[in-house]
Amino acid sequence: MKSQKRDVEAGDGKAPESLPLNDFKPRKSIKYGFTGDEESLFFRDGRRRIDFVLVYETGTKTKALEYKRAEKRVNLERAMKKEGIDIETSVQGIPGEGPEAQLCYAKLHAKWDLLIRYADIMKLRMPLKKEVEEEAYPEDEISRYCPPFFRVDKSVLPPSPHFVSTGFSKSKMALFNILDRDSFFSPSQRIRIIWECMSRIQFVESNPSGVGIQKLLADDTYLAGFPLHDGPYEAPKGETKKPTNLRAALYDQWGQFSKFYKFQPIEHIKNYFGGKMGFYFAWMEFYTIMLIPAVIVGAVCLLYGMITMKNDIPVQEVCTHPDVKDTIMCPICDRRCPYWRLEDSCMQSKSTYLIDNPATIFFATFMALWSAVFLILWKRKQTILSWNFDTYYATEQEEQVRPELEAQIKPDHWKVNPITQMKEPYVSPWRRILQAMLSGTVVFFMVLLVLAATFGTIVYRTMVNVAIYASSQSADAESAQLNDDEEKFAVKYSTYIVGFTAALLNLIVILILNSIYYRIAKWLTEKEYLRTQSEYEDSLTIKYYIFEFVNTYCSVFYVAFFKGR
């Protein structure tokens, strides 16, 4: 079975989805134009939709390892069936690996009982029966004033209906707009639910920490796990049909490079890829649009510099003044550097004036105001998107507890959460404080290690320069007069050799430290016993940012503020 991968937003409790577009319903069989290559989005019965695919291979490893992995898969699949996940397996041979080698595809389908049970646990915001009256949302103001040429075709991507939504409750299902069980949960919501379910299943009965599909993917028990796209994104050759699924509609109106000038269909992107991807592309569109006035002002300042360059006195003196341009200047270094004329720096003077002229003051003032306006407008835009994406009222308490935390804390250490009134893993404040102190100490040590590595690079540059100068002095002792043509290659090009090798050494150190630190940061974050996935991601992001900033820009700060002083 050949499957098309699709980005999945798993475990994001703060980005619930809206209703899918009912105009796009997946077909039961799809031909892609290759002989005998028929792919389906459904089980063999043609009714149950494939929500997720797990891939594993058999017959390629030792029997002991095969048995160990097979036992984990059997336990996982048994638990998935008990939870309410239907499984159908397809098998194909692996060319060149022998007759016993097989590639297996476990196709998963979430039953209705599983969907509503986990939607209640995850508090997915689902639409109620009352539909909101159509209104012109403020984020459409810019596109409304632009010609239709810049907007997507509404006949291909029609506006989505807006409903009043709230956190799903299994006990109050009559209040929700359940017209069709197959389409009530969007494909991205079904993916999130089935991933959340697999993340909570214990696959080793004797080991409480053996929980979650992530660990099985990490140890190659499963080679890959992915959902399927809604169908082909291109019509068969020679046909110009209207897109039959949301993926094809997005490709037709948004996914092609030839459509770069169109406003993005953010609502449809969110419906297909999830809330995080919707926010990402909304941010990129907003940032790009806000850069337009900055580009215009910058181009005007640059044009002003080009027009007034001939009237600039320093440029005139360096380039054209007969009494100044022929001035002999001292060498720029003690040895190996010749005397030079002031006229030789004419091009450098012109390029400097282009970016540093009287208009630059206006541009700097404009960018200061632009940055303030940018932040204010983005906060407004973000609030609107949160309202439209049904995340505005999402709170930390509504987000479910991380399955990894539930596996780390034994059930006898669980306590009732006073806000949600549900039993959750409990970690004492002192334990959290000690772990936070450990994390801070390790991060501080790694930052010091980066500073030490940068200092080592500086010492390397100094030692190599000293060695080259020493070789030059020994050459002078043998020959009282040494011409440049007779000078050794290393001495003549020492500036380039030292600069290139030091930069290469610094790059290698940065890559090695990054690789080591990523593992350490992830291990430290796991030990902090964070309650939700958002807390986990925030803590990990802060660790990454601090180290990445110092590791990447430490050398730049040295060159900018210390080198040559």
Side-chain angles (χ1 to χ4, degrees), residues 93-123:
I94 304 177
E97 293 289 342
E100 296 183 357
Q102 292 181 328
L103 199 61
C104 305
Y105 298 89
K107 298 174 285 186
L108 312 180
H109 168 79
K111 294 181 179 179
W112 175 253
D113 292 338
L114 172 74
L115 293 174
I116 59 176
R117 186 169 74 254
Y118 271 86
D120 193 355
I121 295 173
M122 300 167 66
K123 295 303 176 186

Side-chain angles (χ1 to χ4, degrees), residues 17-20 22 112 115-116 119 124-129 166 168-169 172-173 175-187 189-190 193:
E17 314 299 337
S18 301
L19 278 178
N22 293 327
W112 175 253
L115 293 174
I116 59 176
L124 296 181
R125 298 188 70 87
M126 303 304 296
L128 298 172
K129 290 184 177 180
T166 187
F168 186 82
S169 175
K172 301 177 181 179
M173 287 178 54
L175 301 177
F176 292 90
N177 189 41
I178 307 177
L179 301 177
D180 181 13
R181 288 187 174 185
D182 293 334
S183 61
F184 179 64
F185 293 101
S186 66
Q189 287 175 326
R190 298 176 68 97
I193 289 174

Side-chain angles (χ1 to χ4, degrees), residues 37-251:
D37 181 19
E38 184 173 359
E39 300 184 2
S40 175
L41 298 175
F42 292 81
F43 279 16
R44 295 187 186 96
D45 58 13
R47 295 185 299 103
R48 291 172 292 175
R49 178 188 176 90
I50 300 174
D51 296 316
F52 207 82
V53 179
L54 294 174
V55 185
Y56 62 93
E57 61 182 8
T58 59
T60 59
K61 305 296 180 182
T62 61
K63 289 186 177 180
L65 183 60
E66 288 279 356
Y67 178 80
K68 185 177 180 181
R69 291 179 176 176
E71 184 180 14
K72 293 180 182 178
R73 288 194 293 265
V74 169
N75 292 337
L76 180 73
E77 293 181 5
R78 184 189 302 118
M80 286 194 295
K81 290 178 180 178
K82 187 181 298 184
E83 287 282 348
I85 299 177
D86 291 336
I87 304 175
E88 182 180 271
T89 305
S90 298
V91 180
Q92 70 177 31
I94 304 177
E97 293 289 342
E100 296 183 357
Q102 292 181 328
L103 199 61
C104 305
Y105 298 89
K107 298 174 285 186
L108 312 180
H109 168 79
K111 294 181 179 179
W112 175 253
D113 292 338
L114 172 74
L115 293 174
I116 59 176
R117 186 169 74 254
Y118 271 86
D120 193 355
I121 295 173
M122 300 167 66
K123 295 303 176 186
L124 296 181
R125 298 188 70 87
M126 303 304 296
L128 298 172
K129 290 184 177 180
K130 181 180 179 181
E131 185 173 357
V132 180
E133 296 181 0
E134 290 296 328
E135 55 181 290
Y137 287 101
E139 73 267 20
D140 296 328
E141 287 179 353
I142 298 178
S143 61
R144 280 208 309 271
Y145 294 115
C146 292
F149 176 76
F150 294 100
R151 299 196 294 266
V152 297
D153 188 353
K154 290 187 178 181
S155 64
V156 179
L157 286 172
S160 302
H162 291 274
F163 291 83
V164 176
S165 63
T166 187
F168 186 82
S169 175
K170 187 177 178 181
S171 60
K172 301 177 181 179
M173 287 178 54
L175 301 177
F176 292 90
N177 189 41
I178 307 177
L179 301 177
D180 181 13
R181 288 187 174 185
D182 293 334
S183 61
F184 179 64
F185 293 101
S186 66
S188 57
Q189 287 175 326
R190 298 176 68 97
I191 293 167
R192 289 176 53 199
I193 289 174
I194 204 169
W195 181 265
E196 182 67 23
C197 176
M198 291 190 296
S199 299
R200 295 174 179 272
I201 292 177
Q202 183 175 343
F203 55 83
V204 179
E205 296 179 356
S206 59
N207 184 8
S209 63
V211 176
I213 186 64
Q214 296 93 329
K215 292 185 177 180
L216 296 180
L217 291 170
D219 65 6
D220 290 336
T221 300
Y222 288 100
L223 300 180
F226 51 86
L228 300 180
H229 274 294
D230 288 347
Y233 65 91
E234 289 182 311
K237 293 183 178 180
E239 299 183 15
T240 57
K241 295 181 179 179
K242 182 180 177 181
T244 56
N245 57 69
L246 183 53
R247 182 194 182 197
L250 286 171
Y251 178 78

Side-chain angles (χ1 to χ4, degrees), residues 89 172 197 213 238 244 258 264 311 333 357 395 403 428 500 550 564:
T89 305
K172 301 177 181 179
C197 176
I213 186 64
T244 56
S258 58
Q264 299 184 106
N311 300 325
C333 60
N357 55 69
T395 63
S428 65
F500 175 77
V550 177

Side-chain angles (χ1 to χ4, degrees), residues 298-309 312 315 347-360:
V300 170
C301 293
L302 188 65
L303 183 62
Y304 171 84
M306 295 175 63
I307 295 174
T308 61
M309 183 188 302
D312 183 57
V315 173
M347 186 58 66
Q348 183 179 358
S349 300
K350 290 181 178 180
S351 59
T352 301
Y353 181 77
L354 280 178
I355 60 176
D356 188 10
N357 55 69
T360 307

